[in-house]
Amino acid sequence: MYKNILVPMALDHGIGEQTLQVAQALLSEGGSITALHVYEAPQGAAKAYIDGDLISAAYDRAKARMDERVAGLPNVRALMIKGHSGRGIIDVSVDIKADCIVIGSHKPGLIDYFLGSTAARVVQHAPCAVHVLREQ
């Protein structure tokens, strides 16, 4: 059982509910769960063509979705940061002193074999236990 669980969530995938259920099952009495979404704003040339207000509005919508997804869940708080998913998850796990990360993963596609998936990066670099829940 774990006292401080981090659950990274991609808001465009349905596996987040399952990872939260697994985290609840692994949580020790008196423990807490941090549901994390890493918002990846457009970068490089794409950013030059997108209005800043549009990016801010998208961030606000994502924050509202995140808050909705965890509303009413016991011992769960929502956290949203901006940055790169893999690096952001690792950094937050260190910052909050997580003793476990419960992360969902999709079936790997061809690009994942060349670049790697976020879940693979987390498994390789996490400072704590990682439970990977495979999307069916």
Side-chain angles (χ1 to χ4, degrees):
M1 300 300 258
Y2 300 98
K3 297 289 271 176
N4 193 6
I5 300 175
L6 178 63
V7 180
M9 298 177 65
L11 297 177
D12 56 346
H13 297 290
I15 198 164
E17 286 77 19
Q18 294 170 305
T19 55
L20 284 168
Q21 289 173 359
V22 169
Q24 290 284 3
L26 295 171
L27 190 64
S28 295
E29 189 173 324
S32 65
I33 297 170
T34 301
L36 171 70
H37 177 68
V38 181
Y39 180 80
E40 293 191 47
Q43 299 294 317
K47 187 176 181 180
Y49 295 99
I50 300 175
D51 180 42
D53 291 339
L54 188 64
I55 294 172
S56 292
Y59 179 87
D60 292 342
R61 282 192 306 274
K63 177 76 171 106
R65 275 186 77 195
M66 186 66 178
D67 291 340
E68 274 179 31
R69 287 180 91 169
V70 302
L73 296 176
N75 308 311
V76 179
R77 74 176 180 109
L79 175 63
M80 199 156 131
I81 64 168
K82 293 179 182 178
H84 179 269
S85 293
R87 183 77 254 153
I89 294 166
I90 298 301
D91 290 346
V92 169
S93 72
V94 170
D95 291 346
I96 69 168
K97 297 175 177 54
D99 54 358
C100 180
I101 299 170
V102 178
I103 188 169
S105 180
H106 59 84
K107 292 182 181 178
L110 183 59
I111 191 105
D112 294 317
Y113 290 108
F114 295 110
L115 299 175
S117 69
T118 298
R121 283 188 209 106
V122 170
V123 168
Q124 290 173 338
H125 301 289
C128 59
V130 179
H131 292 263
V132 179
L133 185 62
R134 175 72 72 186
E135 185 176 48
Q136 297 300 328

